[in-house]
């Protein structure tokens, strides 16, 4: 019985050492260094979002993926920008339709 316990203790120690060495050598497979706690790389301009802005978005990863609050914030920001652009486009198209018949009458 003592031999079995000793064998298990040695196995746990070896697994711990191997895990620590692998963690130190390979890290967490991140291209960027880990962020300090409480900071985020998630940034978007107040208006005039471009495709490059969206492509440069970075979300902090947590144990089970990305922080849902940051993803929701970014998606809401993009949705509002799209809504504003569509409203402006609709207003311009309506203005052009109103001006076109007046130009035809001349």
């Amino acid at each position: 019985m003592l031999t079995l316990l000793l064998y298990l203790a040695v196995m746990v120690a070896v697994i711990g050492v191997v895990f620590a060495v692998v963690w130190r050598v390979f890290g967490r497979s991140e291209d960027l260094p880990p962020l300090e706690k409480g900071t985020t790389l998630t940034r978007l301009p107040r208006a005039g979002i471009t495709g490059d802005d969206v492509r440069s978005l970075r979300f902090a990863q947590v144990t089970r993926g990305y922080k849902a609050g940051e993803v929701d914030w970014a998606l809401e920001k993009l949705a509002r920008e799209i809504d504003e652009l569509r409203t402006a486009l609709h207003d311009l198209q309506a203005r052009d339709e109103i001006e076109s018949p007046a130009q035809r009458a001349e």
Side-chain angles (χ1 to χ4, degrees):
M1 181 69 164
L2 183 61
T3 306
L4 181 63
L5 289 176
L6 185 59
Y7 177 73
L8 286 175
V10 170
M11 258 179 85
V12 168
V14 168
I15 290 172
V17 169
V18 169
F19 178 79
V21 168
V22 169
W23 181 274
R24 182 73 178 147
V25 170
F26 295 107
R28 297 186 303 183
S29 301
E30 292 179 344
D31 292 335
L32 299 173
L35 293 174
E36 294 179 19
K37 214 169 201 174
T39 61
T40 180
L41 290 176
T42 308
R43 301 270 189 264
L44 284 173
R46 290 191 182 272
I49 296 172
T50 66
D52 288 335
D53 295 327
V54 175
R55 287 182 197 93
S56 67
L57 280 177
R58 296 290 177 261
F59 299 104
Q61 290 187 343
V62 292
T63 305
R64 293 190 168 211
Y66 295 104
K67 289 185 179 178
E70 289 182 0
V71 175
D72 293 343
W73 173 84
L75 293 175
E76 179 60 31
K77 177 89 171 164
L78 292 171
R80 274 189 266 127
E81 180 77 15
I82 290 169
D83 290 341
E84 290 172 10
L85 291 172
R86 289 180 190 256
T87 301
L89 179 63
H90 177 70
D91 292 343
L92 289 172
Q93 288 174 338
R95 189 179 71 188
D96 285 346
E97 289 176 8
I98 291 171
E99 290 177 0
S100 292
Q103 289 175 352
R104 286 184 208 141
E106 295 175 358

